[in-house]
Amino acid sequence: MIRSETLEELRELNLELFGETGEGNTRLSSSNPPFDISKPNIHDSKKDFLSERTTVETVLRHARGIVNLLTVPLDKTPEQHKQLIHSLAGPISAHALVSRNKKRIDSPSDLILSNLANDGFFFNSVLVIFDLIAAYEQRLEELEDQEKQFWNISHRAPNYYARTIALRFAKHFGRKKNVRPTFGTSSDGNHPSTEYGRALERVFEILEIRADVRKSAEWAISQLDEENWDPSHNPKRILLGNGEGTPSRIEGMKRITEALLEQKKVR
């Protein structure tokens, strides 16, 4: 449970940096911090660690497989693939809509699922899968870093949480500012001299993280790539087009997948 004081301080910092509190625009998100501050799960045994990593890798493989089947022509021409998608999209969306309309809306989850069905289940389900892939990819990155720091050495590094927070905040900072975070120290003392560095120092203070800000920040920055600060490299934004007209949903999904596969290594 996040302390209200911690949540308020993080929102104040977010407001200073980005002009918004980061509360979200729904009642469901009003109690969330501006970025993920949860402590990563450090497993008690290597067996538990390997079990989770295998599960995450398996989910990713199957999710990518679904996306590839639906959006990337393999043995068909683009026109044949388009016809296939058209023949699938209608019945799948209609079935989901009929099924949802038979059920009462008794919870926020019911409302979300109803909205997905009413807005076109086939297309929205693919978007959900993209979000699922992104979430599981992030978890896999954290697990791989855990492996380097914990399971391939004889002792546990004390700064894992600091590094995790530094990386999450670097991605948050990059998305909001549309710039690559940087770190430096002032000439009149060993204090951060860049906006990201000073902000991360405050984040560490708010979360009571006792670790070297410089080392954590430099490691976090080294893990970033362009899509973390340049919206044009975000595969999902391709749906919005490039000023030459909005692509159709089918073409949009194909272009999203192609961009995703180009930017992300298949593990």
Side-chain angles (χ1 to χ4, degrees), residues 149-185:
Q149 295 193 57
F150 295 97
W151 302 115
N152 290 343
I153 58 176
S154 58
H155 62 281
R156 289 193 172 190
N159 66 344
Y160 181 71
Y161 183 49
R163 285 180 127 191
T164 301
I165 290 298
L167 179 57
R168 290 174 181 166
F169 184 66
K171 291 179 178 180
H172 179 65
F173 185 96
R175 284 194 300 268
K176 294 296 183 181
K177 292 283 190 179
N178 291 338
V179 296
R180 183 177 187 270
T182 59
F183 187 87
T185 53

mmCIF file of all heavy atoms in Angstrom, residues 149-185:
data_model
loop_
_atom_site.group_PDB
_atom_site.id
_atom_site.type_symbol
_atom_site.label_atom_id
_atom_site.label_comp_id
_atom_site.label_asym_id
_atom_site.label_seq_id
_atom_site.Cartn_x
_atom_site.Cartn_y
_atom_site.Cartn_z
ATOM 1 N N GLN A 149 22.225 -9.912 -11.849
ATOM 2 C CA GLN A 149 22.636 -9.336 -10.577
ATOM 3 C C GLN A 149 22.539 -10.292 -9.398
ATOM 4 O O GLN A 149 23.252 -10.126 -8.407
ATOM 5 C CB GLN A 149 21.778 -8.102 -10.270
ATOM 6 C CG GLN A 149 21.988 -6.967 -11.248
ATOM 7 C CD GLN A 149 21.383 -5.690 -10.727
ATOM 8 O OE1 GLN A 149 21.711 -5.229 -9.647
ATOM 9 N NE2 GLN A 149 20.482 -5.109 -11.484
ATOM 10 N N PHE A 150 21.651 -11.286 -9.484
ATOM 11 C CA PHE A 150 21.401 -12.121 -8.326
ATOM 12 C C PHE A 150 21.763 -13.588 -8.512
ATOM 13 O O PHE A 150 22.301 -14.203 -7.607
ATOM 14 C CB PHE A 150 19.924 -12.020 -7.915
ATOM 15 C CG PHE A 150 19.537 -10.658 -7.452
ATOM 16 C CD1 PHE A 150 18.930 -9.779 -8.319
ATOM 17 C CD2 PHE A 150 19.806 -10.234 -6.171
ATOM 18 C CE1 PHE A 150 18.571 -8.507 -7.905
ATOM 19 C CE2 PHE A 150 19.464 -8.968 -5.746
ATOM 20 C CZ PHE A 150 18.849 -8.101 -6.614
ATOM 21 N N TRP A 151 21.429 -14.140 -9.664
ATOM 22 C CA TRP A 151 21.574 -15.582 -9.811
ATOM 23 C C TRP A 151 22.873 -15.987 -10.495
ATOM 24 O O TRP A 151 23.207 -17.171 -10.526
ATOM 25 C CB TRP A 151 20.374 -16.139 -10.573
ATOM 26 C CG TRP A 151 19.093 -15.823 -9.868
ATOM 27 C CD1 TRP A 151 18.087 -15.030 -10.316
ATOM 28 C CD2 TRP A 151 18.686 -16.254 -8.560
ATOM 29 N NE1 TRP A 151 17.078 -14.936 -9.385
ATOM 30 C CE2 TRP A 151 17.420 -15.680 -8.297
ATOM 31 C CE3 TRP A 151 19.280 -17.068 -7.580
ATOM 32 C CZ2 TRP A 151 16.734 -15.898 -7.104
ATOM 33 C CZ3 TRP A 151 18.585 -17.283 -6.393
ATOM 34 C CH2 TRP A 151 17.339 -16.703 -6.163
ATOM 35 N N ASN A 152 23.619 -15.037 -11.034
ATOM 36 C CA ASN A 152 24.921 -15.344 -11.628
ATOM 37 C C ASN A 152 26.069 -14.877 -10.757
ATOM 38 O O ASN A 152 27.224 -14.891 -11.170
ATOM 39 C CB ASN A 152 25.050 -14.704 -13.020
ATOM 40 C CG ASN A 152 24.152 -15.389 -14.031
ATOM 41 O OD1 ASN A 152 23.681 -16.502 -13.805
ATOM 42 N ND2 ASN A 152 23.895 -14.726 -15.145
ATOM 43 N N ILE A 153 25.777 -14.451 -9.538
ATOM 44 C CA ILE A 153 26.818 -14.027 -8.595
ATOM 45 C C ILE A 153 26.545 -14.698 -7.253
ATOM 46 O O ILE A 153 25.483 -15.263 -7.026
ATOM 47 C CB ILE A 153 26.831 -12.495 -8.423
ATOM 48 C CG1 ILE A 153 25.463 -11.996 -7.932
ATOM 49 C CG2 ILE A 153 27.219 -11.813 -9.722
ATOM 50 C CD1 ILE A 153 25.435 -10.512 -7.656
ATOM 51 N N SER A 154 27.528 -14.610 -6.371
ATOM 52 C CA SER A 154 27.422 -15.316 -5.090
ATOM 53 C C SER A 154 26.684 -14.520 -4.023
ATOM 54 O O SER A 154 26.412 -15.023 -2.948
ATOM 55 C CB SER A 154 28.829 -15.665 -4.579
ATOM 56 O OG SER A 154 29.598 -14.476 -4.432
ATOM 57 N N HIS A 155 26.364 -13.257 -4.310
ATOM 58 C CA HIS A 155 25.656 -12.454 -3.322
ATOM 59 C C HIS A 155 24.637 -11.561 -4.044
ATOM 60 O O HIS A 155 24.716 -11.370 -5.248
ATOM 61 C CB HIS A 155 26.629 -11.557 -2.543
ATOM 62 C CG HIS A 155 27.346 -10.581 -3.420
ATOM 63 N ND1 HIS A 155 28.434 -10.933 -4.195
ATOM 64 C CD2 HIS A 155 27.114 -9.266 -3.683
ATOM 65 C CE1 HIS A 155 28.852 -9.884 -4.878
ATOM 66 N NE2 HIS A 155 28.066 -8.862 -4.589
ATOM 67 N N ARG A 156 23.710 -11.021 -3.296
ATOM 68 C CA ARG A 156 22.692 -10.160 -3.876
ATOM 69 C C ARG A 156 23.148 -8.713 -3.853
ATOM 70 O O ARG A 156 23.552 -8.199 -2.817
ATOM 71 C CB ARG A 156 21.370 -10.292 -3.111
ATOM 72 C CG ARG A 156 20.691 -11.628 -3.333
ATOM 73 C CD ARG A 156 19.269 -11.594 -2.828
ATOM 74 N NE ARG A 156 18.561 -12.817 -3.206
ATOM 75 C CZ ARG A 156 17.268 -12.990 -3.061
ATOM 76 N NH1 ARG A 156 16.523 -12.040 -2.533
ATOM 77 N NH2 ARG A 156 16.690 -14.120 -3.429
ATOM 78 N N ALA A 157 23.066 -8.076 -5.000
ATOM 79 C CA ALA A 157 23.430 -6.659 -5.066
ATOM 80 C C ALA A 157 22.408 -5.832 -4.295
ATOM 81 O O ALA A 157 21.217 -6.068 -4.402
ATOM 82 C CB ALA A 157 23.479 -6.207 -6.518
ATOM 83 N N PRO A 158 22.857 -4.843 -3.516
ATOM 84 C CA PRO A 158 21.935 -4.090 -2.667
ATOM 85 C C PRO A 158 21.148 -3.000 -3.400
ATOM 86 O O PRO A 158 20.257 -2.409 -2.830
ATOM 87 C CB PRO A 158 22.876 -3.459 -1.635
ATOM 88 C CG PRO A 158 24.163 -3.293 -2.376
ATOM 89 C CD PRO A 158 24.248 -4.473 -3.299
ATOM 90 N N ASN A 159 21.497 -2.727 -4.655
ATOM 91 C CA ASN A 159 20.901 -1.563 -5.321
ATOM 92 C C ASN A 159 19.914 -1.939 -6.428
ATOM 93 O O ASN A 159 19.660 -1.137 -7.320
ATOM 94 C CB ASN A 159 22.004 -0.681 -5.912
ATOM 95 C CG ASN A 159 22.760 -1.379 -7.031
ATOM 96 O OD1 ASN A 159 22.669 -2.593 -7.175
ATOM 97 N ND2 ASN A 159 23.520 -0.636 -7.804
ATOM 98 N N TYR A 160 19.359 -3.135 -6.399
ATOM 99 C CA TYR A 160 18.495 -3.546 -7.497
ATOM 100 C C TYR A 160 17.248 -2.670 -7.577
ATOM 101 O O TYR A 160 16.843 -2.258 -8.660
ATOM 102 C CB TYR A 160 18.096 -5.013 -7.357
ATOM 103 C CG TYR A 160 17.228 -5.465 -8.505
ATOM 104 C CD1 TYR A 160 17.788 -5.628 -9.772
ATOM 105 C CD2 TYR A 160 15.869 -5.664 -8.355
ATOM 106 C CE1 TYR A 160 17.008 -6.004 -10.850
ATOM 107 C CE2 TYR A 160 15.079 -6.037 -9.423
ATOM 108 C CZ TYR A 160 15.648 -6.203 -10.661
ATOM 109 O OH TYR A 160 14.870 -6.547 -11.724
ATOM 110 N N TYR A 161 16.632 -2.387 -6.450
ATOM 111 C CA TYR A 161 15.432 -1.546 -6.459
ATOM 112 C C TYR A 161 15.764 -0.154 -6.983
ATOM 113 O O TYR A 161 14.996 0.445 -7.750
ATOM 114 C CB TYR A 161 14.839 -1.460 -5.050
ATOM 115 C CG TYR A 161 13.550 -0.664 -4.960
ATOM 116 C CD1 TYR A 161 12.494 -0.902 -5.833
ATOM 117 C CD2 TYR A 161 13.391 0.319 -3.990
ATOM 118 C CE1 TYR A 161 11.307 -0.195 -5.750
ATOM 119 C CE2 TYR A 161 12.207 1.041 -3.895
ATOM 120 C CZ TYR A 161 11.174 0.784 -4.781
ATOM 121 O OH TYR A 161 10.001 1.502 -4.702
ATOM 122 N N ALA A 162 16.930 0.367 -6.589
ATOM 123 C CA ALA A 162 17.344 1.694 -7.060
ATOM 124 C C ALA A 162 17.480 1.705 -8.577
ATOM 125 O O ALA A 162 17.029 2.642 -9.253
ATOM 126 C CB ALA A 162 18.669 2.087 -6.410
ATOM 127 N N ARG A 163 18.090 0.696 -9.128
ATOM 128 C CA ARG A 163 18.256 0.633 -10.582
ATOM 129 C C ARG A 163 16.910 0.515 -11.294
ATOM 130 O O ARG A 163 16.675 1.133 -12.328
ATOM 131 C CB ARG A 163 19.119 -0.584 -10.956
ATOM 132 C CG ARG A 163 20.603 -0.423 -10.668
ATOM 133 C CD ARG A 163 21.336 -1.681 -11.080
ATOM 134 N NE ARG A 163 22.438 -1.355 -11.967
ATOM 135 C CZ ARG A 163 23.122 -2.270 -12.650
ATOM 136 N NH1 ARG A 163 22.799 -3.543 -12.533
ATOM 137 N NH2 ARG A 163 24.094 -1.913 -13.443
ATOM 138 N N THR A 164 16.030 -0.300 -10.729
ATOM 139 C CA THR A 164 14.710 -0.491 -11.326
ATOM 140 C C THR A 164 13.927 0.815 -11.359
ATOM 141 O O THR A 164 13.328 1.178 -12.378
ATOM 142 C CB THR A 164 13.916 -1.559 -10.541
ATOM 143 O OG1 THR A 164 14.655 -2.788 -10.566
ATOM 144 C CG2 THR A 164 12.549 -1.770 -11.152
ATOM 145 N N ILE A 165 13.939 1.537 -10.231
ATOM 146 C CA ILE A 165 13.233 2.813 -10.161
ATOM 147 C C ILE A 165 13.879 3.821 -11.109
ATOM 148 O O ILE A 165 13.186 4.584 -11.812
ATOM 149 C CB ILE A 165 13.223 3.360 -8.726
ATOM 150 C CG1 ILE A 165 12.316 2.496 -7.841
ATOM 151 C CG2 ILE A 165 12.763 4.812 -8.696
ATOM 152 C CD1 ILE A 165 10.857 2.483 -8.261
ATOM 153 N N ALA A 166 15.201 3.841 -11.171
ATOM 154 C CA ALA A 166 15.903 4.768 -12.067
ATOM 155 C C ALA A 166 15.514 4.512 -13.517
ATOM 156 O O ALA A 166 15.310 5.460 -14.292
ATOM 157 C CB ALA A 166 17.417 4.628 -11.897
ATOM 158 N N LEU A 167 15.377 3.247 -13.904
ATOM 159 C CA LEU A 167 15.017 2.903 -15.281
ATOM 160 C C LEU A 167 13.557 3.251 -15.566
ATOM 161 O O LEU A 167 13.243 3.842 -16.606
ATOM 162 C CB LEU A 167 15.265 1.422 -15.533
ATOM 163 C CG LEU A 167 14.905 0.903 -16.927
ATOM 164 C CD1 LEU A 167 15.639 1.681 -18.018
ATOM 165 C CD2 LEU A 167 15.204 -0.589 -17.040
ATOM 166 N N ARG A 168 12.669 2.897 -14.651
ATOM 167 C CA ARG A 168 11.259 3.229 -14.868
ATOM 168 C C ARG A 168 11.060 4.736 -14.959
ATOM 169 O O ARG A 168 10.298 5.230 -15.798
ATOM 170 C CB ARG A 168 10.420 2.661 -13.721
ATOM 171 C CG ARG A 168 10.305 1.144 -13.712
ATOM 172 C CD ARG A 168 9.586 0.685 -12.461
ATOM 173 N NE ARG A 168 9.470 -0.769 -12.373
ATOM 174 C CZ ARG A 168 9.125 -1.418 -11.268
ATOM 175 N NH1 ARG A 168 8.843 -0.730 -10.174
ATOM 176 N NH2 ARG A 168 9.041 -2.723 -11.255
ATOM 177 N N PHE A 169 11.763 5.478 -14.088
ATOM 178 C CA PHE A 169 11.608 6.932 -14.108
ATOM 179 C C PHE A 169 12.246 7.521 -15.364
ATOM 180 O O PHE A 169 11.740 8.504 -15.926
ATOM 181 C CB PHE A 169 12.224 7.556 -12.855
ATOM 182 C CG PHE A 169 12.013 9.046 -12.772
ATOM 183 C CD1 PHE A 169 10.743 9.569 -12.616
ATOM 184 C CD2 PHE A 169 13.082 9.917 -12.880
ATOM 185 C CE1 PHE A 169 10.534 10.945 -12.554
ATOM 186 C CE2 PHE A 169 12.889 11.289 -12.815
ATOM 187 C CZ PHE A 169 11.608 11.803 -12.654
ATOM 188 N N ALA A 170 13.337 6.940 -15.839
ATOM 189 C CA ALA A 170 13.965 7.419 -17.072
ATOM 190 C C ALA A 170 13.012 7.271 -18.251
ATOM 191 O O ALA A 170 12.894 8.161 -19.102
ATOM 192 C CB ALA A 170 15.263 6.653 -17.333
ATOM 193 N N LYS A 171 12.295 6.149 -18.321
ATOM 194 C CA LYS A 171 11.328 5.933 -19.400
ATOM 195 C C LYS A 171 10.159 6.908 -19.273
ATOM 196 O O LYS A 171 9.690 7.465 -20.276
ATOM 197 C CB LYS A 171 10.831 4.484 -19.376
ATOM 198 C CG LYS A 171 11.903 3.464 -19.768
ATOM 199 C CD LYS A 171 11.350 2.044 -19.710
ATOM 200 C CE LYS A 171 12.410 1.035 -20.154
ATOM 201 N NZ LYS A 171 11.907 -0.362 -20.107
ATOM 202 N N HIS A 172 9.707 7.111 -18.042
ATOM 203 C CA HIS A 172 8.619 8.059 -17.783
ATOM 204 C C HIS A 172 9.048 9.467 -18.177
ATOM 205 O O HIS A 172 8.312 10.188 -18.860
ATOM 206 C CB HIS A 172 8.263 7.990 -16.297
ATOM 207 C CG HIS A 172 7.174 8.923 -15.876
ATOM 208 N ND1 HIS A 172 5.870 8.819 -16.316
ATOM 209 C CD2 HIS A 172 7.195 10.000 -15.031
ATOM 210 C CE1 HIS A 172 5.137 9.768 -15.770
ATOM 211 N NE2 HIS A 172 5.911 10.503 -14.990
ATOM 212 N N PHE A 173 10.248 9.859 -17.775
ATOM 213 C CA PHE A 173 10.800 11.188 -18.082
ATOM 214 C C PHE A 173 10.937 11.368 -19.593
ATOM 215 O O PHE A 173 10.553 12.395 -20.154
ATOM 216 C CB PHE A 173 12.162 11.336 -17.397
ATOM 217 C CG PHE A 173 12.793 12.697 -17.542
ATOM 218 C CD1 PHE A 173 12.641 13.646 -16.549
ATOM 219 C CD2 PHE A 173 13.562 13.009 -18.661
ATOM 220 C CE1 PHE A 173 13.234 14.907 -16.665
ATOM 221 C CE2 PHE A 173 14.146 14.258 -18.788
ATOM 222 C CZ PHE A 173 13.980 15.207 -17.792
ATOM 223 N N GLY A 174 11.486 10.345 -20.268
ATOM 224 C CA GLY A 174 11.680 10.431 -21.718
ATOM 225 C C GLY A 174 10.377 10.571 -22.472
ATOM 226 O O GLY A 174 10.277 11.363 -23.414
ATOM 227 N N ARG A 175 9.344 9.814 -22.065
ATOM 228 C CA ARG A 175 8.045 9.889 -22.743
ATOM 229 C C ARG A 175 7.399 11.255 -22.560
ATOM 230 O O ARG A 175 6.806 11.801 -23.495
ATOM 231 C CB ARG A 175 7.108 8.803 -22.199
ATOM 232 C CG ARG A 175 7.400 7.400 -22.689
ATOM 233 C CD ARG A 175 6.238 6.476 -22.382
ATOM 234 N NE ARG A 175 5.970 6.398 -20.954
ATOM 235 C CZ ARG A 175 6.496 5.488 -20.146
ATOM 236 N NH1 ARG A 175 7.329 4.598 -20.632
ATOM 237 N NH2 ARG A 175 6.194 5.476 -18.858
ATOM 238 N N LYS A 176 7.514 11.814 -21.363
ATOM 239 C CA LYS A 176 6.868 13.091 -21.075
ATOM 240 C C LYS A 176 7.599 14.267 -21.714
ATOM 241 O O LYS A 176 6.983 15.227 -22.185
ATOM 242 C CB LYS A 176 6.776 13.310 -19.558
ATOM 243 C CG LYS A 176 5.876 12.331 -18.840
ATOM 244 C CD LYS A 176 4.432 12.468 -19.296
ATOM 245 C CE LYS A 176 3.510 11.556 -18.531
ATOM 246 N NZ LYS A 176 2.100 11.667 -19.001
ATOM 247 N N LYS A 177 8.934 14.210 -21.733
ATOM 248 C CA LYS A 177 9.732 15.320 -22.250
ATOM 249 C C LYS A 177 10.091 15.165 -23.730
ATOM 250 O O LYS A 177 10.528 16.124 -24.380
ATOM 251 C CB LYS A 177 11.035 15.443 -21.446
ATOM 252 C CG LYS A 177 10.857 15.892 -20.001
ATOM 253 C CD LYS A 177 10.595 17.377 -19.927
ATOM 254 C CE LYS A 177 10.649 17.876 -18.499
ATOM 255 N NZ LYS A 177 10.410 19.344 -18.406
ATOM 256 N N ASN A 178 9.939 13.951 -24.249
ATOM 257 C CA ASN A 178 10.359 13.657 -25.629
ATOM 258 C C ASN A 178 11.834 13.951 -25.850
ATOM 259 O O ASN A 178 12.247 14.433 -26.908
ATOM 260 C CB ASN A 178 9.512 14.436 -26.639
ATOM 261 C CG ASN A 178 8.077 13.954 -26.694
ATOM 262 O OD1 ASN A 178 7.772 12.829 -26.318
ATOM 263 N ND2 ASN A 178 7.193 14.815 -27.141
ATOM 264 N N VAL A 179 12.650 13.683 -24.819
ATOM 265 C CA VAL A 179 14.098 13.841 -24.921
ATOM 266 C C VAL A 179 14.761 12.659 -24.222
ATOM 267 O O VAL A 179 14.178 12.041 -23.337
ATOM 268 C CB VAL A 179 14.595 15.156 -24.275
ATOM 269 C CG1 VAL A 179 14.047 16.369 -25.003
ATOM 270 C CG2 VAL A 179 14.243 15.204 -22.789
ATOM 271 N N ARG A 180 15.992 12.387 -24.613
ATOM 272 C CA ARG A 180 16.754 11.324 -23.951
ATOM 273 C C ARG A 180 17.253 11.841 -22.606
ATOM 274 O O ARG A 180 17.927 12.867 -22.550
ATOM 275 C CB ARG A 180 17.937 10.905 -24.820
ATOM 276 C CG ARG A 180 18.758 9.750 -24.242
ATOM 277 C CD ARG A 180 19.862 9.373 -25.210
ATOM 278 N NE ARG A 180 20.573 8.186 -24.787
ATOM 279 C CZ ARG A 180 21.655 8.188 -24.002
ATOM 280 N NH1 ARG A 180 22.146 9.351 -23.574
ATOM 281 N NH2 ARG A 180 22.248 7.057 -23.656
ATOM 282 N N PRO A 181 16.941 11.169 -21.505
ATOM 283 C CA PRO A 181 17.453 11.606 -20.207
ATOM 284 C C PRO A 181 18.981 11.586 -20.189
ATOM 285 O O PRO A 181 19.609 10.732 -20.819
ATOM 286 C CB PRO A 181 16.885 10.564 -19.239
ATOM 287 C CG PRO A 181 15.720 9.971 -19.942
ATOM 288 C CD PRO A 181 16.079 9.981 -21.396
ATOM 289 N N THR A 182 19.565 12.525 -19.480
ATOM 290 C CA THR A 182 21.024 12.581 -19.337
ATOM 291 C C THR A 182 21.374 12.758 -17.866
ATOM 292 O O THR A 182 20.523 13.131 -17.052
ATOM 293 C CB THR A 182 21.625 13.752 -20.139
ATOM 294 O OG1 THR A 182 21.046 14.987 -19.665
ATOM 295 C CG2 THR A 182 21.348 13.599 -21.620
ATOM 296 N N PHE A 183 22.635 12.512 -17.546
ATOM 297 C CA PHE A 183 23.072 12.686 -16.164
ATOM 298 C C PHE A 183 24.463 13.314 -16.150
ATOM 299 O O PHE A 183 25.323 12.976 -16.952
ATOM 300 C CB PHE A 183 23.110 11.342 -15.419
ATOM 301 C CG PHE A 183 23.394 11.503 -13.953
ATOM 302 C CD1 PHE A 183 22.365 11.719 -13.054
ATOM 303 C CD2 PHE A 183 24.699 11.462 -13.469
ATOM 304 C CE1 PHE A 183 22.616 11.898 -11.700
ATOM 305 C CE2 PHE A 183 24.969 11.636 -12.125
ATOM 306 C CZ PHE A 183 23.914 11.851 -11.234
ATOM 307 N N GLY A 184 24.645 14.245 -15.230
ATOM 308 C CA GLY A 184 25.938 14.873 -15.014
ATOM 309 C C GLY A 184 25.997 15.393 -13.589
ATOM 310 O O GLY A 184 24.982 15.425 -12.890
ATOM 311 N N THR A 185 27.178 15.802 -13.149
ATOM 312 C CA THR A 185 27.326 16.350 -11.802
ATOM 313 C C THR A 185 27.846 17.777 -11.885
ATOM 314 O O THR A 185 28.579 18.138 -12.812
ATOM 315 C CB THR A 185 28.283 15.502 -10.956
ATOM 316 O OG1 THR A 185 29.521 15.341 -11.660
ATOM 317 C CG2 THR A 185 27.685 14.130 -10.690
#
